[in-house]
Amino acid sequence: MFKLSGGQTRNIKLTLAYDGTHYHGFQRQKNALTIQQVVEERLAKLFGHELKINGSGRTDTGVHAYGQAVNFYTGGTVPTCRIPIAAKGLLPPDIVIIDAEDVPREFHARFWAKSKIYRYRLLNQPLLNPFERNYAWHFPEKLDWQLMQEAAQLIAGTHDFSAFRATGSVPVNPVRTILAVECRRRRETIIEFEFWGTGFLYHMVRNLVGTLVEVGRTRMTVDEFSAILAGRDRKAAGITAPPQGLYLVEVKY
């Protein structure tokens, strides 16, 4: 825990929404601008001391969030209910605190998280809409979203997701539990995937989407998708979908 100079320590949980277009992800880095750095620096002005926020997890460069959860400790006296409004004038317009609450001292945004929901957006039309270029993967070829929905249902459950982990990522247990998956069409040109799970591997959602698109192109059958999941070979799966279509929707506790 970050050591404060004095006063009673409060543990505060924030829910952040942000447009990740102009940031190198959530987690602080030495030579790149990140969401964590900006939030820490701006909130330090509000609370009158340096602080460190704990995120529920990192998001990559260009990835967005509707509901990223963080917590931090403070001895500052700003009322919790006033934090979203008070921070509005300090944070850039592409980062917003949408909720603040007091939580137990032991609460940690990462370790207490029970599950997360991610959404991925595809713009499926011949020409790029310039207003969607930073918020969806533009895929010009026609896709059969119902085939993708059929394949996506195979993801639900507890599986070894080695076929969909990032190449060269830090070795961790590849077994994850996905509670629900949905593929739906929003308007004629937008296809959305939604993944609700208790945990995700690095790039797992983007690798799943990249492979499901191969099903939608009819270059891969649903049975072949099932075989890739069971086979646990990353080389057999599809590409990593680009980051701008990915959103962290909600962290559940």
Side-chain angles (χ1 to χ4, degrees):
M1 185 181 71
F2 193 89
K3 294 182 179 179
L4 302 172
S5 58
Q8 186 176 1
T9 300
R10 303 155 60 196
N11 191 8
I12 297 175
K13 173 179 174 285
L14 304 178
T15 303
L16 307 176
Y18 52 81
D19 177 344
T21 302
H22 302 297
Y23 299 93
H24 290 263
F26 174 82
Q27 190 172 20
R28 180 182 278 272
Q29 300 179 34
K30 288 185 178 180
N31 300 309
L33 186 67
T34 67
I35 301 291
Q36 182 179 14
Q37 175 189 338
V38 171
V39 173
E40 287 178 347
E41 290 177 354
R42 303 300 173 87
L43 289 186
K45 297 178 181 179
L46 179 62
F47 287 94
H49 64 82
E50 292 183 2
L51 53 84
K52 181 180 186 302
I53 62 174
N54 302 306
S56 69
R58 62 183 180 180
T59 54
D60 291 336
T61 299
V63 173
H64 316 291
Y66 291 110
Q68 169 72 283
V70 306
N71 78 288
F72 67 97
Y73 297 93
T74 181
T77 59
V78 179
T80 305
C81 64
R82 295 290 302 166
I83 293 173
I85 296 299
K88 181 179 177 182
L90 296 171
L91 291 168
D94 51 7
I95 305 175
V96 176
I97 297 173
I98 60 176
D99 187 52
E101 59 182 299
D102 293 294
V103 288
R105 186 180 181 87
E106 299 79 17
F107 175 88
H108 191 287
R110 177 184 173 191
F111 300 127
W112 280 41
K114 301 298 185 184
S115 62
K116 296 178 183 178
I117 299 175
Y118 284 95
R119 182 176 300 152
Y120 196 94
R121 300 178 73 243
L122 274 166
L123 177 64
N124 189 210
Q125 63 183 34
L127 297 176
L128 173 64
N129 178 339
F131 301 105
E132 291 279 6
R133 72 189 188 281
N134 294 324
Y135 307 106
W137 177 13
H138 173 232
F139 200 87
E141 297 178 34
K142 186 176 180 180
L143 294 170
D144 186 326
W145 72 272
Q146 291 175 318
L147 275 179
M148 292 191 291
Q149 167 72 343
E150 183 181 347
Q153 297 315 300
L154 301 172
I155 299 167
T158 300
H159 306 283
D160 183 325
F161 283 96
S162 292
F164 304 102
R165 70 191 307 169
T167 303
S169 57
V170 177
V172 294
N173 183 358
V175 176
R176 293 290 185 270
T177 298
I178 302 301
L179 302 171
V181 184
E182 186 177 358
C183 174
R184 56 183 176 247
R185 185 176 287 280
R186 296 286 194 191
R187 308 196 310 265
E188 188 62 28
T189 59
I190 296 290
I191 298 172
E192 289 184 351
F193 300 91
E194 197 152 282
F195 302 86
W196 176 24
T198 60
F200 295 85
L201 300 171
Y202 186 47
H203 284 177
M204 177 174 153
V205 170
R206 290 166 59 191
N207 291 336
L208 283 166
V209 171
T211 310
L212 288 169
V213 162
E214 292 301 297
V215 176
R217 299 171 75 188
T218 67
R219 293 191 173 187
M220 179 186 297
T221 67
V222 174
D223 287 342
E224 288 171 336
F225 180 87
S226 178
I228 289 172
L229 175 60
R232 299 178 292 179
D233 181 4
R234 176 69 189 99
K235 294 179 181 178
I239 66 168
T240 303
Q244 71 269 20
L246 184 61
Y247 300 75
L248 173 56
V249 175
E250 184 181 358
V251 183
K252 294 180 180 289
Y253 292 93

